[in-house]
């Protein structure tokens, strides 16, 4: 594990070496081209199978950074764990330590709301955010208070989304790659419409609401893509962002993908992501 030293500025803490407080890297220690995944084991496999000249990983507060080269181009593979807050750390602290334009691709797993087989792939053209609203359960709530807030859609980077889709479709000729809206939720459970008899979640209609609200264009449910797309659009320096997922679960049929196929798709899809990442021109 990397050590981060004393920080001085509470507004944006960096230590005496200039390392950001959570990622644990300083300026120049992260590539402008980033492939991010949730699972640290997925990141390590991708590093071992696909990176050349891989450096010693930097590991701090649940983040693991693997720097190396892919087809001669410097890239970073970063595992972040789960949820919008972890993506927030990556994009903000990553932005601080990288000079100039960036490209970030997320490769994760997801559930699907479409009639597609598990083991299909998905690329997110847009993303929406689903947030549980705790006020709904408060005794003093307003009468118009909703249990779950669903945001308007935010676009990924059109060029990078298209490049990523092309790479996936040419890599996976025997499987479907669906393109559509990702719904990013602040819980794996309640705000993704999973029914948990142990809790009062009032979420029985959430999946249907999501399908109807966006005319059946929501393809995937997971926990990070919206934060990546939203922050990339709000960054003052350019960040091109795109996201792909392995459809691990079908939320309509309740089918779930086997681990062996998942492992294979992680590597093949990771390669497709890196190919898209190095093809993109950061400067226009
Ligand atoms: C939940 O099991 C996790 O898996 C998905 C979700 O977004 C969430 O982070 O993504 P990863 O496979 O990238 O972690």
């Amino acid at each position: 594990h990397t050590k981060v030293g004393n920080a001085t500025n509470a507004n944006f803490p960096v230590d005496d070496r200039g390392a950001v407080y959570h990622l644990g890297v300083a300026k120049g220690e992260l590539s402008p081209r980033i492939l991010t995944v949730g699972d640290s084991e997925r990141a390590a496999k991708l590093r071992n199978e696909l990176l050349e000249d891989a450096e010693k990983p930097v590991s701090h507060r649940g983040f693991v950074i693997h720097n190396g080269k892919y087809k001669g181009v410097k890239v970073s593979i970063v595992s972040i764990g789960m949820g919008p807050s972890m993506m927030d750390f990556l994009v903000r602290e990553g932005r601080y330590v990288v000079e100039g334009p960036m490209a970030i691709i997320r490769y994760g797993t997801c559930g699907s709301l479409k009639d597609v087989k598990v083991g299909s792939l998905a690329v997110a053209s847009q993303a929406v955010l689903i947030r549980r609203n705790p006020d709904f359960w408060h005794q003093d709530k307003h009468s118009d208070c909703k249990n779950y807030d669903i945001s308007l859609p935010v676009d990924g980077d059109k060029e990078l989304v298209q490049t990523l889709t092309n790479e996936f479709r040419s890599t996976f000729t025997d499987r479907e790659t669906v393109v559509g809206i990702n719904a990013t939720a602040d819980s794996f459970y309640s705000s993704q419409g999973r029914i948990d008899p142990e809790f009062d979640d009032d979420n029985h209609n959430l999946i249907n609401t999501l399908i109807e609200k966006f005319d059946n264009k929501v393809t995937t449910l997971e926990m990070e893509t919206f934060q990546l797309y939203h922050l990339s659009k709000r960054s003052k320096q350019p960040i091109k962002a795109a996201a792909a997922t392995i459809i691990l679960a079908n939320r309509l049929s309740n089918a779930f993908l086997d681990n062996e196929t998942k492992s294979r798709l992680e590597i093949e899809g990771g390669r497709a992501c890196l190919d898209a990442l190095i093809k993109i021109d950061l400067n226009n």
Side-chain angles (χ1 to χ4, degrees), residues 207-220:
I207 298 259
N208 278 339
T209 304
L210 207 52
I211 292 173
E212 281 163 22
K213 187 177 165 99
F214 299 103
D215 297 329
N216 205 18
K217 291 193 180 69
V218 174
T219 50
T220 57

Side-chain angles (χ1 to χ4, degrees), residues 13-146:
V14 295
D15 75 359
D16 31 20
R17 197 179 72 78
V20 286
Y21 200 60
H22 306 90
L23 293 187
V25 284
K27 286 188 193 283
E29 296 175 357
L30 188 70
S31 163
R33 296 174 197 269
I34 297 169
L35 170 59
T36 178
V37 302
D39 183 359
S40 58
E41 289 176 27
R42 185 180 314 145
K45 276 195 285 185
L46 291 170
R47 163 221 176 85
N48 294 340
E49 297 272 339
L50 304 174
L51 289 195
E52 306 134 22
D53 304 334
E55 296 167 17
K56 189 168 163 272
V58 173
S59 167
H60 191 249
R61 284 302 288 259
F63 298 90
V64 186
I65 298 174
H66 302 273
N67 288 326
K69 287 184 181 163
Y70 180 72
K71 298 186 177 170
V73 181
K74 278 190 175 175
V75 296
S76 298
I77 298 177
V78 184
S79 66
I80 64 169
M82 294 175 262
S85 320
M86 296 301 271
M87 184 60 87
D88 195 83
F89 283 123
L90 171 67
V91 179
R92 289 178 187 278
E93 295 190 4
R95 179 63 280 172
Y96 179 84
V97 297
V98 171
E99 202 181 314
M102 298 170 74
I104 306 177
I105 292 179
R106 161 169 156 79
Y107 188 39
T109 59
C110 70
S112 180
L113 296 184
K114 304 292 276 190
D115 182 21
V116 288
K117 285 187 190 149
V118 294
S120 302
L121 292 309
V123 174
S125 51
Q126 296 184 303
V128 301
L129 180 65
I130 312 166
R131 279 162 299 176
R132 180 179 171 107
N133 178 8
D135 285 359
F136 179 81
W137 288 269
H138 197 284
Q139 59 191 9
D140 299 334
K141 73 171 173 180
H142 293 288
S143 56
D144 58 355
C145 183
K146 286 207 181 119

Side-chain angles (χ1 to χ4, degrees), residues 36-40 42 80-84 106-111 182 184-185 188 192 194 221-225 244-246 248 256 262 266:
T36 178
V37 302
D39 183 359
S40 58
R42 185 180 314 145
I80 64 169
M82 294 175 262
R106 161 169 156 79
Y107 188 39
T109 59
C110 70
N182 163 268
T184 295
F188 180 79
Q192 289 190 34
R194 288 189 163 92
L221 266 169
E222 46 83 275
M223 298 177 67
E224 295 83 14
T225 297
T245 42
I246 300 167
L248 205 59
F256 207 89
K262 178 186 159 208
E266 285 179 324

